Amino acid sequence: MDLELLTKAKAYGFSDRQIAHLTGRTEDEVRAERKAAGLVPSYRLVDTCAAEFEAYTPYYYSTYDRGDDEINPTDRKKVMILGGGPNRIGQGIEFDYCCVHAAFALKEDGFETLMVNSNPETVSTDYDTSDKLFFEPLTLEDVLHIYEREKCWGVIAQFGGQTPLNLALGLQANGVNILGTSPQSIERAEDREMFSAMLHKLNIPQPPNGLATNEEEALAAAHKLDYPVLVRPSFVLGGRAMQIVYSDNELRHYMQHAVEASPERPVLVDKFLEDATEVDVDCIADAKNGTFVIGGMLEHVEFAGVHSGDAAMVLPPHALSQSAIDTMREYTHAMAAELEVTGLMNVQYAVKDEIVYVLEVNPRASRTIPFVSKAIGVPLAKLAAQVMAGAKLSDLGFTEEIWPKYWAVKESVFPFNKFVGQDIILSPEMRSTGEVMGLDADLGVAYAKSQMAANTPLPLEGKVFISVSDAHKDEVPALAKDFVELGFELVATGGTAKVIEDAGLQVERVSKLAEGRPNSLDLLKNNELQLVINTPTGEVPRSDEVQIRTSAVYSGTPIMTTISSAKAAVNGIRSIKKSGYGVRTVQEFH
């Protein structure tokens, strides 16, 4: 590997890591050799005027082609903000929101802001958001080039989701000043063994769990915990490859086909808490000055097991006891202090039988930050950026938790109508591509508004088709009675219909798909059903269930796949029928 070949490789776009892999060296060795030879990229302006006029947009890309470097460095104190990179399910526009707010806040405070992002579809890559924009890959090599070229004071890595967070330790090892929570604290929260040790020290419960580096260890852990268990790879984004497993066969299949387990990348095996209520808590912390403020507590509508990015949520909590709320507040403050969090932190809790369990802690901006900020009227990402740059929360005027006197309901938007035949049942793996908000002084109306915004408005009359698994049959009579009292007609197949009739209610019986016609698919195609309630039976959904759910999506019929969301729908319909709804701006609520 001589200098001529190295120069050629860099000009052709090979990264240091690729060159290291091909030549049997480490990335650090290649970087050192390249820098010793003076081989560094130059930066060119993106010509936004197509050479018709001189372009002044501060919009740069790097190149190893020989030529002028078009950066004009200044003497101002510079902060680099790392964006989220390409949009994909699990990491989207919420992180971009945080990055943009950070750029605005630090500009106001007199810093020169440098945005590094590689996604042309985001606001953070608008040329007027930051002082300078670098349209570069989010890799250690590219970020270090810019940091050194611009002589930055510090880097914010906790606003772009998992992608920049994964770079934090490497950047720090190369002398980069990471602003906010230290990379060591971030690793402490993400490394399962270190995290468990911290919770043990603080006397905070977590669901029983184990680690597995192969199939035998996974089976041993599952037998010790008892099924069902939640399995997932470590360092996972958007719930990728997370699954609730109910048997040895399912677990074997998961270990053989879903993940590659190794000592470096173990699989986490957690006891799955069935019928637990999940809660997301967002907190802003200024550990140096001992100030910790909870921004919002979001209670999931669906029971635990649905990814937080997919679940419908209510702020403030509506069904939790005061003692559970107080316990979560106490645990959140204790963990933020222990991890010495500076900036934002998200905690996911599960509450079962009045015991509060910690599921995971993310010492970074979470995807709920924009929602919580809008709901409480406080720009949390903006304040967090100022705290990370050295301001005190007390000086910024945010030291008291805000508990709204109205309800804010978050509902997720899904792309299921684009994926023919894909089952819509929600799981620990994230599938949503956006979210909407419903605000009202009445919880039922707020939920109904969220459904309108998600393009599946709740019906106020018509026929409701109910088909639930045996596990939920005992909840059907009360649910069916509620719908009858609201003026709906009931439709059901055999088993569910019998439960409804035994409760003394009238129900129209239809055939199961295998039994003939007319069946529920016929009614959906003819637009005779206005609402579908269908909970999955067993571990593997039956094909007729999947057909019913996908047909409901294509016909635009609202569908509830959990009993808890069906109950929320009842409350929403009742509230709308009783009092209607008004329209107010977010500002009027604040």
Side-chain angles (χ1 to χ4, degrees):
M1 188 69 186
D2 57 21
L3 183 58
E4 185 186 349
L5 185 57
L6 183 60
T7 307
K8 196 173 182 183
K10 295 309 289 183
Y12 279 10
F14 282 86
S15 68
D16 287 351
R17 179 180 281 196
Q18 286 172 313
I19 294 167
H21 174 71
L22 292 167
T23 59
R25 308 172 196 204
T26 66
E27 186 179 352
D28 288 343
E29 285 168 353
V30 174
R31 183 184 300 112
E33 186 179 329
R34 178 173 54 73
K35 286 173 73 175
L39 188 58
V40 291
S42 56
Y43 291 89
R44 306 280 173 80
L45 267 171
V46 173
D47 188 353
T48 48
C49 300
E52 197 170 341
F53 311 102
E54 190 175 349
Y56 293 103
T57 52
Y59 192 170
Y60 299 95
Y61 65 95
S62 65
T63 174
Y64 278 87
D65 287 346
R66 291 179 178 81
D68 294 340
D69 191 320
E70 296 178 336
I71 282 184
N72 294 314
T74 66
D75 295 330
R76 291 167 64 199
K77 204 172 187 181
K78 301 181 181 73
V79 173
M80 182 193 290
I81 300 161
L82 301 182
N87 272 5
R88 52 208 181 278
I89 291 179
Q91 176 158 329
I93 216 70
E94 303 93 339
F95 298 117
D96 199 58
Y97 165 100
C98 294
C99 292
V100 170
H101 272 249
F104 291 163
L106 295 174
K107 265 171 122 174
E108 281 174 26
D109 286 358
F111 292 95
E112 182 174 325
T113 57
L114 279 59
M115 183 72 66
V116 182
N117 205 358
S118 56
N119 184 353
E121 298 298 316
T122 57
V123 181
S124 66
T125 49
D126 285 355
Y127 62 84
D128 54 355
T129 296
S130 47
D131 293 304
K132 285 180 183 166
L133 167 66
F134 290 86
F135 198 74
E136 292 287 277
L138 285 148
T139 67
L140 186 65
E141 175 183 346
D142 295 285
V143 173
L144 282 175
H145 281 156
I146 302 163
Y147 186 84
E148 290 162 1
R149 177 73 180 80
E150 286 280 0
K151 299 182 174 61
C152 295
W153 169 65
V155 170
I156 290 180
Q158 62 166 264
F159 280 172
Q162 197 69 34
T163 305
L165 215 59
N166 291 343
L167 299 177
L169 274 170
L171 289 171
Q172 189 189 50
N174 281 279
V176 171
N177 175 25
I178 301 288
L179 301 182
T181 311
S182 74
Q184 284 71 25
S185 290
I186 292 165
E187 190 179 32
R188 202 173 161 199
E190 293 202 337
D191 182 285
R192 195 44 46 161
E193 290 177 356
M194 291 163 79
F195 180 57
S196 293
M198 181 191 81
L199 293 183
H200 185 70
K201 177 185 172 184
L202 297 174
N203 201 22
I204 295 174
Q206 67 176 142
N209 59 75
L211 280 172
T213 59
N214 56 46
E215 192 178 312
E216 284 67 38
E217 287 180 13
L219 288 166
H223 293 161
K224 186 179 170 187
L225 299 171
D226 286 335
Y227 291 107
V229 294
L230 181 71
V231 284
R232 55 188 163 151
S234 49
F235 293 91
V236 64
L237 176 74
R240 286 289 303 140
M242 279 172 78
Q243 196 175 320
I244 300 163
V245 167
Y246 293 84
S247 67
D248 283 359
N249 284 343
E250 275 188 70
L251 185 54
R252 282 194 186 95
H253 185 271
Y254 177 85
M255 294 300 289
Q256 288 164 13
H257 298 97
V259 291
E260 282 184 37
S262 67
E264 295 79 42
R265 291 192 160 273
V267 168
L268 313 178
V269 185
D270 293 322
K271 174 67 181 162
F272 178 61
L273 303 172
E274 288 190 287
D275 297 337
T277 301
E278 211 164 314
V279 187
D280 261 71
V281 177
D282 280 313
C283 155
I284 185 166
D286 176 7
K288 197 164 57 179
N289 299 297
T291 312
F292 309 99
V293 187
I294 284 175
M297 291 187 181
L298 294 145
E299 181 181 339
H300 294 210
V301 171
E302 291 86 1
F303 280 131
V306 173
H307 191 277
S308 61
D310 287 353
M313 300 185 190
V314 179
L315 183 155
H318 66 293
L320 291 172
S321 68
Q322 190 58 48
S323 75
I325 289 168
D326 292 343
T327 301
M328 285 188 289
R329 184 178 293 118
E330 181 193 323
Y331 288 173
T332 304
H333 287 189
M335 288 186 291
E338 179 67 24
L339 290 169
E340 297 178 351
V341 173
T342 302
L344 296 170
M345 181 178 90
N346 168 266
V347 190
Q348 289 169 21
Y349 292 102
V351 183
K352 185 174 167 80
D353 303 329
E354 283 302 296
I355 299 173
V356 175
Y357 298 92
V358 174
L359 300 179
E360 63 178 270
V361 174
N362 294 307
R364 59 166 168 82
S366 71
R367 64 176 57 77
T368 45
I369 285 292
F371 180 90
V372 171
S373 299
K374 286 174 162 63
I376 66 172
V378 175
L380 294 172
K382 197 172 180 179
L383 296 181
Q386 291 172 304
V387 168
M388 289 157 79
K392 293 181 180 177
L393 258 185
S394 50
D395 293 344
L396 297 172
F398 186 59
T399 55
E400 295 292 316
E401 197 176 314
I402 294 174
W403 201 265
K405 293 182 169 58
Y406 47 84
W407 303 99
V409 177
K410 175 180 97 71
E411 183 56 280
S412 300
V413 178
F414 298 94
F416 293 128
N417 57 350
K418 307 275 197 304
F419 298 101
V420 179
Q422 173 71 41
D423 193 11
I424 67 167
I425 287 297
L426 302 180
S427 72
E429 191 163 330
M430 186 172 161
R431 289 159 163 204
S432 69
T433 50
E435 58 191 41
V436 293
M437 174 190 268
L439 285 174
D440 203 89
D442 180 297
L443 177 56
V445 174
Y447 182 79
K449 283 180 174 181
S450 74
Q451 301 308 300
M452 292 175 202
N455 285 329
T456 50
L458 297 172
L460 301 181
E461 58 185 12
K463 291 182 177 181
V464 180
F465 175 70
I466 304 176
S467 171
V468 301
S469 66
D470 291 342
H472 300 126
K473 288 278 200 292
D474 56 344
E475 302 197 57
V476 166
L479 194 63
K481 189 165 175 284
D482 284 337
F483 277 113
V484 169
E485 286 172 359
L486 290 168
F488 285 83
E489 295 173 45
L490 305 176
V491 180
T493 52
T496 310
K498 185 179 185 309
V499 173
I500 294 171
E501 286 166 348
D502 290 348
L505 300 169
Q506 276 194 316
V507 59
E508 177 187 335
R509 280 176 174 261
V510 293
S511 305
K512 289 185 177 177
L513 302 195
E515 294 171 352
R517 312 179 86 158
N519 56 43
S520 52
L521 288 190
D522 298 322
L523 298 182
L524 280 167
K525 284 170 186 167
N526 296 335
N527 292 320
E528 291 179 51
L529 297 178
Q530 280 64 53
L531 182 65
V532 173
I533 295 163
N534 177 247
T535 65
T537 55
E539 304 136 25
V540 183
R542 295 202 304 262
S543 62
D544 53 351
E545 286 179 33
V546 178
Q547 282 182 272
I548 290 168
R549 292 193 281 264
T550 52
S551 294
V553 169
Y554 300 137
S555 62
T557 308
I559 175 164
M560 304 293 160
T561 58
T562 63
I563 293 293
S564 50
S565 55
K567 289 176 180 174
V570 165
N571 289 339
I573 294 165
R574 187 183 289 124
S575 295
I576 292 282
K577 291 188 89 156
K578 181 182 171 187
S579 51
Y581 67 93
V583 176
R584 290 168 71 193
T585 63
V586 178
Q587 288 82 354
E588 285 174 273
F589 278 99
H590 298 160

